[in-house]
């Protein structure tokens, strides 16, 4: 009989989503009593590849088909030309890609990895999973089926039968959680807990708020902020992105602890805990004494929408027949539509789910909370400033997310609503990363940035104004609802048009009976846009990924047709070649 293999699970991600999924795979492997380990690709000891039997990869795609930051070195090694074609012939593997089908290069990093592993002789045990964040059920729609397929093949290959789970309540603990008795709440109760990590990780930057300005009028439906941060002597480039970890609002933290208290759960906000490694490496930020309130406010995401795996854990812990049955139903294939209607459609969060299942919640304790709750993932924002224009500052243009569903309480974006509360002098931690835009100051540029999509172009234009003193080669299309209510960065844009000869066209969609959007202005300026393209111009587009990008792209296809004798298919190929050659770049969210 074949010996049970060790399953090595490696992940690559910009935001932590792949790590969460990798740890879910690790928990699933414990059902079969398999040895397994989890690591980021670039933290993995590459010398161990020769000893591997089964490897599972979880890969997010960054930017326009790029590999994520914590996969770069691993990928570079795999691309070595001196690696023989049978280098990984002893390895069985499967890849799960985490992507978004609104991007042209959907799951491109995962596809590249899968192809390269096969080229090096590895055997694919289950077909690559291409998860799509745009699906109604999100990643789970593909992940659940792919995961079962992977372990069915592992069991078949190594003659493993039946599922094993030694935990009585189905809980597989990643960390060792210890309550420190008679310990006072840390003095830094209100301080950003990531400062501890920033002092030990040079990638992280400790910043303080200079100014938090609302750019929309008080009677406008949306609150948008231009937030200015003081940073140490640091250079960055237009197109760069800030990743920032937010905090839950006080009222949501209070509600979380009240629900636990009302259900008799033995946890208190002032409990002090230490976390040590049990099976999975402890995140650096948790390697300090923290109160449970600090963890609930700054580490756990109280807004996350519970997935199938969360419902499985809760169902295993529950001893209430009705609640257990309903929770288990959410984990089955036939229960996925009901799970969608309960969680995804109304955007119901974990705190509300715990409130809806009181008997199950009463079975929680401090250890199970660390397995059920998910960490806050960093949110990405395009930098809206230039280090040449405002030295030692970074500006972010942030739309505060608030909307209604069928639930009574409005849904709030975790990060944006926290950012809106920041006041002068408040400290926070973030890091900077290269974005997808590649700007070339020597070529004409067509910049399409409605709403907060203007942010990266504000950075570019402010920077280019200092470098060249001339913006006549920049054609800017901006769009918003009302000229007097949400004309973001109005002063900057009008000044650059007047002083530096920038060409600016604004679509104020609600200022007249017929709605006017940026694509309509592109149509009006068809000759000018075509002239820019004929001079080797580059199109840059940024903004919401819903309808605008496809509408703008369609307008450029028509623009090519109108200014040439090309047929529709030829014009489509023309635009496709612009994209392929980096002359049509998009950054959407």
């Amino acid at each position: 009989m074949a010996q049970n293999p060790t399953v090595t699970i490696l992940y690559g991600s910009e935001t932590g989503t792949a790590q969460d999924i990798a740890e879910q795979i690790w928990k699933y492997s414990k059902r079969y009593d398999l040895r397994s380990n989890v690591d980021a690709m670039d933290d993995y000891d590459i010398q161990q590849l020769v000893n591997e039997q089964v490897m599972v990869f979880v890969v997010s795609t960054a930017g326009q088909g790029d590999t994520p930051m914590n996969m770069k070195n691993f990928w570079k090694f795999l691309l070595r030309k001196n690696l023989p074609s049978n280098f990984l012939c002893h390895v069985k593997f499967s890849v799960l890609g985490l992507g978004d089908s609104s991007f042209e290069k959907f799951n491109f990093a995962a596809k590249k990895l899968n192809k390269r592993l096969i080229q090096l002789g590895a055997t694919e045990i289950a077909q690559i999973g291409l998860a799509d964040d745009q699906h109604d059920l999100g990643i789970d729609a593909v992940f659940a089926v792919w995961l079962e397929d992977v372990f069915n093949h592992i069991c078949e290959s190594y003659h493993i039968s039946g599922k094993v789970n030694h935990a009585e309540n189905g809980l597989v603990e990643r960390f060792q959680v210890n309550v420190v008795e008679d310990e006072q709440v840390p003095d830094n109760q209100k301080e950003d807990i990531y400062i501890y990590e920033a002092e030990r990780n040079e990638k992280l930057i400790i910043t303080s708020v200079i100014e938090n300005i609302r750019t929309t009028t008080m009677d406008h439906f949306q609150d948008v902020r231009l937030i200015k941060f003081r940073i140490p002597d640091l250079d960055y480039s237009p197109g760069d992105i800030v990743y920032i970890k937010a905090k839950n609002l006080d009222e949501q933290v209070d509600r979380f602890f009240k629900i636990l208290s009302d259900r008799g759960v033995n946890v208190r906000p002032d409990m002090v805990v230490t976390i040590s490694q049990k099976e999975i490496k402890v995140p650096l930020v948790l390697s300090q004494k923290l109160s449970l309130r600090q963890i609930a406010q700054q580490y756990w995401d109280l807004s996350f929408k519970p997935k199938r795996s969360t419902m499985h854990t809760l169902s295993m812990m529950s001893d209430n027949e009705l609640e257990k049955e309903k929770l288990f139903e959410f984990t089955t294939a036939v229960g996925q539509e009901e799970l969608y209607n309960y969680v995804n459609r109304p955007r119901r969060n974990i705190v509300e789910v715990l409130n809806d299942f009181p008997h199950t919640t009463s079975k929680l304790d401090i250890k199970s909370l660390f397995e059920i709750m998910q960490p806050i993932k960093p949110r990405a924002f395009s930098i809206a400033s230039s280090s040449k224009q405002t030295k030692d500052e970074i500006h972010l243009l942030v739309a505060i997310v608030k909307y209604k569903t069928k639930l009574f309480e409005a849904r709030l974006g975790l990060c944006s609503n926290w950012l809106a509360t920041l006041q002068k002098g408040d400290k926070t931690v973030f890091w900077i990363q290269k974005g997808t835009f590649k700007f070339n100051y020597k070529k004409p540029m067509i910049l399409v940035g409605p709403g907060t999509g203007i942010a990266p172009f504000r950075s570019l234009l402010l920077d280019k104004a200092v470098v060249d003193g001339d913006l006549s080669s920049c054609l800017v299309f901006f769009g918003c609802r009302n000229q007097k209510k949400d004309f973001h960065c109005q002063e900057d844009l009008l000044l650059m048009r007047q002083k530096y000869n920038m060409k600016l066209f604004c679509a104020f969609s609600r200022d007249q009976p017929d709605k006017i959007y940026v694509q309509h202005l592109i149509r009006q300026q068809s000759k000018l846009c075509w002239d820019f393209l004929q001079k080797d111009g580059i199109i840059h587009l940024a903004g919401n990924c819903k309808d605008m990008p496809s509408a703008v792209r369609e307008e450029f296809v028509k623009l090519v047709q109108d200014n040439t004798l090309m047929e529709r298919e030829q014009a489509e190929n023309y635009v496709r070649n612009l994209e392929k050659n980096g002359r049509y770049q998009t950054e959407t969210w």
Side-chain angles (χ1 to χ4, degrees):
M1 182 178 291
Q3 184 179 1
N4 286 2
T6 295
V7 181
T8 296
I9 306 160
L10 301 182
Y11 63 87
S13 177
E14 301 287 346
T15 64
T17 303
Q19 181 177 355
D20 292 346
I21 296 294
E23 291 183 4
Q24 287 183 43
I25 298 169
W26 171 82
K27 287 184 179 182
Y28 196 86
S29 75
K30 296 303 177 185
R31 300 190 199 182
Y32 298 89
D33 209 22
L34 289 169
R35 297 185 304 277
S36 56
N37 47 69
V38 177
D39 224 335
M41 289 191 207
D42 281 356
D43 292 338
Y44 171 73
D45 182 1
I46 208 81
Q47 303 300 320
Q48 291 300 313
L49 272 176
V50 295
N51 302 317
E52 299 293 356
Q53 297 168 284
V54 177
M55 302 188 75
V56 177
F57 299 88
V58 186
V59 184
S60 296
T61 296
Q64 300 299 317
D66 300 324
T67 54
M69 288 300 292
N70 59 357
M71 177 183 166
K72 298 286 187 187
N73 294 333
F74 185 88
W75 180 239
K76 187 177 179 180
F77 175 84
L78 289 186
L79 291 178
R80 286 185 178 180
K81 293 182 179 179
N82 62 347
L83 294 179
S85 59
N86 64 349
F87 178 66
L88 296 178
C89 63
H90 55 287
V91 174
K92 294 180 173 65
F93 81 96
S94 189
V95 173
L96 175 69
L98 308 179
D100 185 322
S101 58
S102 67
F103 287 83
E104 182 189 3
K105 294 188 175 179
F106 172 58
N107 269 316
F108 201 62
K111 292 173 183 175
K112 287 193 296 186
L113 175 63
N114 197 77
K115 182 178 180 180
R116 183 56 179 160
L117 292 170
I118 292 172
Q119 288 175 344
L120 293 173
T123 302
E124 190 178 23
I125 56 172
Q127 188 174 2
I128 183 173
L130 300 176
D132 183 6
D133 206 41
Q134 290 293 321
H135 192 282
D136 284 346
L137 289 171
I139 290 166
D140 265 2
V142 167
F143 173 50
V145 177
W146 171 86
L147 181 62
E148 191 167 341
D149 193 25
V150 168
F151 280 90
N152 283 342
H153 280 86
I154 292 173
C155 290
E156 184 178 337
S157 297
Y158 292 92
H159 310 294
I160 301 167
S161 61
K163 293 183 181 179
V164 181
N165 196 332
H166 297 303
E168 292 181 7
N169 61 1
L171 195 67
V172 181
E173 295 176 7
R174 295 169 296 168
F175 310 135
Q176 181 67 44
V177 184
N178 301 300
V179 178
V180 184
E181 301 293 346
D182 302 321
E183 183 76 25
Q184 294 295 315
V185 176
D187 292 335
N188 64 343
Q189 174 77 359
K190 292 291 186 181
E191 191 173 88
D192 192 312
I193 64 175
Y194 292 94
I195 289 177
Y196 174 89
E197 185 177 5
E199 291 169 344
R200 293 157 179 79
N201 182 350
E202 61 182 16
K203 182 177 85 166
L204 300 180
I205 304 162
I206 302 172
T207 73
S208 60
V209 176
I210 302 170
E211 201 173 18
N212 190 337
I213 309 163
R214 178 168 175 148
T215 67
T216 52
T217 58
M218 294 303 294
D219 63 340
H220 189 59
F221 85 102
Q222 189 174 44
D223 181 358
V224 178
R225 303 298 181 102
L226 182 66
I227 309 174
K228 301 179 181 180
F229 296 89
R230 178 80 62 198
I231 59 170
D233 187 19
L234 185 72
D235 195 25
Y236 58 87
S237 303
D240 286 357
I241 290 171
V242 158
Y243 278 95
I244 189 166
K245 284 200 178 182
K247 301 178 179 64
N248 297 294
L249 300 178
D250 286 339
E251 49 267 34
Q252 195 166 14
V253 177
D254 292 340
R255 185 183 180 196
F256 172 68
F257 281 111
K258 186 178 187 309
I259 288 171
L260 296 180
S261 175
D262 290 347
R263 304 296 178 252
V265 181
N266 185 27
V267 297
R268 303 185 316 277
D270 62 351
M271 277 182 169
V272 177
V273 299
T274 59
I275 316 295
S276 54
Q277 182 167 335
K278 188 170 186 177
E279 294 271 2
I280 299 290
K281 188 186 300 181
V282 177
L284 182 56
V285 70
L286 294 183
S287 302
Q288 56 183 316
K289 284 183 182 177
L290 296 169
S291 72
L292 210 55
R293 184 175 184 87
Q294 286 177 299
I295 293 169
Q297 184 149 45
Q298 302 189 47
Y299 184 74
W300 287 336
D301 185 348
L302 302 186
S303 296
F304 96 90
K305 301 186 297 298
K307 300 185 184 300
R308 197 172 178 173
S309 57
T310 310
M311 298 305 192
H312 175 266
T313 302
L314 289 171
S315 73
M316 295 295 288
M317 296 178 60
S318 181
D319 63 358
N320 178 274
E321 186 176 343
L322 287 176
E323 291 186 8
K324 189 179 186 74
E325 182 181 349
K326 175 53 68 177
L327 288 163
F328 179 75
E329 184 182 346
F330 286 146
T331 72
T332 63
V334 295
Q336 291 313 287
E337 184 175 351
E338 191 161 355
L339 177 62
Y340 172 75
N341 289 330
Y342 173 64
V343 173
N344 297 65
R345 188 185 296 277
R347 317 293 286 182
R348 188 176 263 108
N349 63 45
I350 182 63
V351 178
E352 292 164 330
V353 170
L354 294 179
N355 190 50
D356 288 348
F357 291 86
H359 298 286
T360 303
T361 299
S362 70
K363 296 300 175 184
L364 297 176
D365 57 24
I366 197 165
K367 292 186 176 182
S368 57
L369 281 171
F370 273 89
E371 302 310 321
I372 289 168
M373 303 304 294
Q374 296 290 314
I376 295 172
K377 294 180 178 61
R379 269 61 165 184
F381 295 93
S382 295
I383 294 176
S385 54
S386 162
S387 59
K388 296 182 179 65
Q389 184 80 232
T390 47
K391 185 175 171 58
D392 299 337
E393 291 184 20
I394 277 182
H395 303 171
L396 303 181
L397 188 64
V398 180
I400 312 306
V401 178
K402 182 178 181 180
Y403 58 95
K404 290 289 292 183
T405 67
K406 70 176 186 179
L407 299 178
F408 176 75
E409 292 185 11
R411 306 292 92 184
L412 304 178
L414 187 156
C415 187
S416 63
N417 280 273
W418 168 71
L419 285 170
T421 68
L422 293 181
Q423 298 178 9
K424 183 177 180 179
D426 285 348
K427 285 187 168 60
T428 189
V429 174
F430 56 58
W431 69 94
I432 299 173
Q433 198 162 295
K434 289 294 175 188
T436 59
F437 283 140
K438 294 177 174 61
F439 296 124
N440 187 336
Y441 288 12
K442 295 180 180 179
K443 294 187 177 182
M445 289 182 275
I446 301 173
L447 309 175
V448 186
T452 56
I454 198 64
F457 304 141
R458 179 180 187 261
S459 175
L460 162 70
L461 294 165
L462 290 172
D463 199 80
K464 192 176 189 314
V466 174
V467 173
D468 296 339
D470 178 28
L471 298 178
S472 59
S473 62
C474 297
L475 174 54
V476 180
F477 292 97
F478 171 75
C480 65
R481 289 198 173 201
N482 308 105
Q483 182 175 3
K484 294 182 178 179
K485 292 187 176 183
D486 59 336
F487 191 169
H488 312 312
C489 310
Q490 176 179 358
E491 187 177 332
D492 295 314
L493 292 173
L494 295 181
L495 177 65
M496 286 186 281
R497 180 175 67 181
Q498 179 182 354
K499 187 175 180 180
Y500 299 105
N501 300 314
M502 181 185 79
K503 296 173 179 63
L504 175 65
F505 298 94
C506 296
F508 304 115
S509 63
R510 305 303 199 274
D511 280 353
Q512 60 284 310
D514 296 326
K515 294 187 178 74
I516 297 177
Y517 298 114
V518 286
Q519 60 266 29
H520 300 134
L521 297 187
I522 291 169
R523 183 183 308 165
Q524 290 175 14
Q525 301 302 324
S526 173
K527 296 293 183 186
L528 182 58
C529 289
W530 181 246
D531 181 56
F532 268 55
L533 290 177
Q534 290 298 97
K535 294 175 181 176
D536 208 19
I538 301 172
I539 301 166
H540 296 277
L541 178 147
N544 189 284
C545 69
K546 191 177 180 183
D547 299 319
M548 181 273 296
S550 58
V552 169
R553 188 185 186 281
E554 174 63 21
E555 203 56 57
F556 275 108
V557 172
K558 291 178 181 176
L559 181 152
V560 173
Q561 282 186 281
D562 291 344
N563 287 276
T564 67
L565 298 177
M566 291 183 187
E567 297 293 333
R568 164 76 195 196
E569 185 57 33
Q570 291 175 304
E572 175 67 38
N573 286 335
Y574 184 96
V575 173
R576 195 175 293 123
N577 282 330
L578 291 178
E579 292 169 332
K580 183 179 179 181
N581 296 321
R583 290 185 57 203
Y584 193 128
Q585 303 176 30
T586 62
E587 187 171 278
T588 58
W589 49 85

